[in-house]
Amino acid sequence: MAQVRWNATLPRVLIDDVRGGNRFLRVTVHRDLGVVVISHWQGDECVAATRVPMSAIDDLIELLREGATTP
């Protein structure tokens, strides 16, 4: 289940991992840095993170949209 938490300084979404184990994906927008950070968490520990430039977001959204709608 996704938990969207928006605020003026740090918009983010948390998405539970289907495997459970207190794992989740966190996506955070950092407009001041021009990146979206996609990070993997287990409990309160970040185990991996990727900084995606804003210029790549449209491609990422399109991939997710096509993947979610293609049989």
Side-chain angles (χ1 to χ4, degrees):
M1 178 177 159
Q3 301 173 13
V4 180
R5 297 183 183 158
W6 290 99
N7 65 48
T9 57
L10 194 60
R12 68 182 181 182
V13 64
L14 306 176
I15 303 168
D16 292 332
D17 189 312
V18 297
R19 298 173 294 172
N22 201 20
R23 291 182 284 243
F24 61 95
L25 182 76
R26 185 170 84 181
V27 181
T28 309
V29 177
H30 297 268
R31 291 184 184 99
D32 57 330
L33 302 174
V35 298
V36 171
V37 177
I38 300 172
S39 52
H40 297 269
W41 290 78
Q42 186 157 4
D44 60 356
E45 181 180 359
C46 178
V47 296
T50 302
R51 290 175 178 244
V52 180
M54 293 289 188
S55 61
I57 297 303
D58 287 342
D59 291 334
L60 178 58
I61 291 169
E62 184 62 26
L63 172 70
L64 294 171
R65 182 177 291 121
E66 285 185 28
T69 59
T70 303

